[in-house]
Amino acid sequence: RAKSQQRAGHFYFSRNMGVEIRERVRMMHALRTAFSQHELFLMYQPQIDLATRRPVGAEALLRWRTRDGKFVSPDRFIPIAEYSGLIIEMGEWVLRTACAELVRLRAAGHRAFTISVNVSQVQFRHPQFLPMLRQALEETGAPPEYVELEITESMAMEEPHLLVEMLAEVRRTGVKVAIDDFGTGFSSLSHLQRLRIDRLKIDRAFVTEITGSSRGSSIAEMVIQLGRNLGLSIVAEGVEDERQAQVLYHLGCPLAQGFLFARPMTAEDLAAWLAGEARQSA
Ligand code: C2E
Ligand code: MG
Ligand code: MG
Ligand code: MG
């Protein structure tokens, strides 16, 4: 009985695996085609100064709309791009496109404005990452101090030596570094202290909880205190309502990003939105 169950279990397992692998391969081809045919694009989500409610920057977020008009979430296709190696080319394109957009926005008068770009660990570990970064900055003319790379907390924990060295090199280019989804990993204080980073991004999960359970708010509070003690900038992610914004501000969080302020938007819409914001403050 145990044996037949085992066999049945094995059959069930491998058949599902087959479906999953086939689906992944299908998506890999579709993604490669979409990328080569310029069907991927960037949206930009503003980041806000909580004291003045003015925009200070925007995060570039990759979008894939398939031929039949459906959006595939980056949480689904980024792992496939990483797995297939396509992330190297794709990530370079994201960085260059975002840098070029920054240059356009600066020309339109938005000069104290930072563009943040998500960087996958596969990209970051690639031996050509630093030369690629330098070349992208040089060729687009983007001022490095207004470009920020977002790396995830899990990445910040692995291979500490490699990371410490890489971050020192990135810093030499003048580009800023933020740790994304902070609070979801287990970085130790001493480890964080050794890393040359500029900013922590509080994960949305802790922002959502901030007006609910006291335990949730204490995690956000802890991250804010930690960031302040280390002299880092802090951005709260996924702020959806005014109460969250108020609590964060009173806890000492200077910056925020979320649907309350603005959704991710096209480059064109961002330029128009920023022009409107500038008129309001004039
Ligand atoms: P992330 O970097 O943590 O980005 C924040 C995500 O939260 C984005 O999802 C954004 O649209 C969403 N978001 C922002 N404000 C709110 C809010 O108020 N409420 C809610 N519910 N969500 C909000 P998105 O665009 O689906 O991206 C998901 C993840 O995919 C990103 O998480 C990032 O890890 C990855 N990703 C996106 N673009 C790129 C890219 O160009 N390169 C790499 N390597 N990863 C990317
Ligand atoms: Mg991010
Ligand atoms: Mg995040
Ligand atoms: Mg995320």
Side-chain angles (χ1 to χ4, degrees):
R1 170 116 209 259
K3 201 164 186 178
S4 75
Q5 230 175 23
Q6 218 174 35
R7 245 192 237 127
H10 177 77
F11 174 68
Y12 178 75
F13 180 69
S14 60
R15 193 177 55 181
N16 267 340
M17 285 284 286
V19 169
E20 209 178 274
I21 289 168
R22 225 174 296 139
E23 170 62 14
R24 209 193 281 186
V25 170
R26 193 196 60 75
M27 246 175 99
M28 206 158 94
H29 286 307
L31 183 59
R32 200 173 279 282
T33 305
F35 179 62
S36 66
Q37 299 187 350
H38 313 287
E39 288 169 14
L40 269 67
F41 60 100
L42 292 181
M43 298 267 256
Y44 299 87
Q45 186 179 36
Q47 297 173 330
I48 285 352
D49 179 328
L50 279 171
T52 61
R53 299 287 171 116
R54 297 284 165 225
V56 294
E59 176 178 11
L61 294 160
L62 193 54
R63 292 289 176 265
W64 176 19
R65 189 174 42 216
T66 60
R67 285 282 170 79
D68 46 10
K70 286 194 196 105
F71 281 95
V72 184
S73 163
D75 285 325
R76 270 190 78 204
F77 72 78
I78 295 287
I80 289 169
E82 289 175 332
Y83 178 81
S84 66
L86 183 62
I87 194 74
I88 300 300
E89 268 176 86
M90 205 184 251
E92 178 171 357
W93 176 82
V94 168
L95 180 67
R96 283 176 175 268
T97 306
C99 283
E101 187 52 31
L102 175 67
V103 171
R104 267 192 295 276
L105 290 172
R106 289 178 66 79
H110 309 292
R111 301 192 70 84
F113 195 80
T114 298
I115 287 279
S116 303
V117 175
N118 293 285
V119 175
S120 137
Q121 60 179 320
V122 176
Q123 248 182 303
F124 204 66
R125 283 211 194 108
H126 192 269
Q128 291 303 305
F129 182 76
L130 286 165
M132 183 282 286
L133 174 64
R134 291 190 199 103
Q135 200 178 353
L137 293 168
E138 207 177 287
E139 290 180 16
T140 57
E145 61 274 31
Y146 292 103
V147 175
E148 180 180 74
L149 305 180
E150 294 190 4
I151 65 171
T152 60
E153 188 184 7
S154 53
M155 210 165 122
M157 307 229 334
E158 288 169 27
E159 305 173 82
H161 287 296
L162 176 76
L163 189 76
V164 168
E165 261 172 55
M166 276 293 285
L167 290 179
E169 286 295 326
V170 169
R171 176 164 288 247
R172 240 164 256 146
T173 66
V175 164
K176 304 274 193 284
V177 177
I179 300 199
D180 206 352
D181 304 341
F182 193 79
T184 57
F186 306 91
S187 321
S188 68
L189 181 59
S190 64
H191 182 44
L192 260 186
Q193 227 159 358
R194 280 192 298 139
L195 298 178
R196 308 291 300 268
I197 55 163
D198 301 278
R199 184 177 275 182
L200 296 179
K201 296 192 77 179
I202 308 174
D203 193 73
R204 177 162 65 90
F206 308 119
V207 171
T208 308
E209 284 174 355
I210 212 169
T211 46
S213 86
S214 57
R215 198 167 160 266
S217 97
S218 75
I219 292 175
E221 199 173 343
M222 215 179 64
V223 174
I224 294 165
Q225 281 312 318
L226 178 66
R228 289 171 67 102
N229 290 339
L230 293 174
L232 303 175
S233 163
I234 308 149
V235 185
E237 291 193 282
V239 177
E240 293 183 349
D241 64 56
E242 187 54 44
R243 260 183 76 215
Q244 293 168 343
Q246 292 290 338
V247 174
L248 287 161
Y249 181 65
H250 290 296
L251 289 175
C253 178
L255 306 172
Q257 179 182 346
F259 296 169
L260 171 66
F261 309 106
R263 296 209 167 230
M265 53 185 103
T266 62
E268 201 185 5
D269 288 348
L270 176 67
W273 187 85
L274 285 175
E277 288 289 312
R279 268 195 302 277
Q280 268 182 44
S281 65

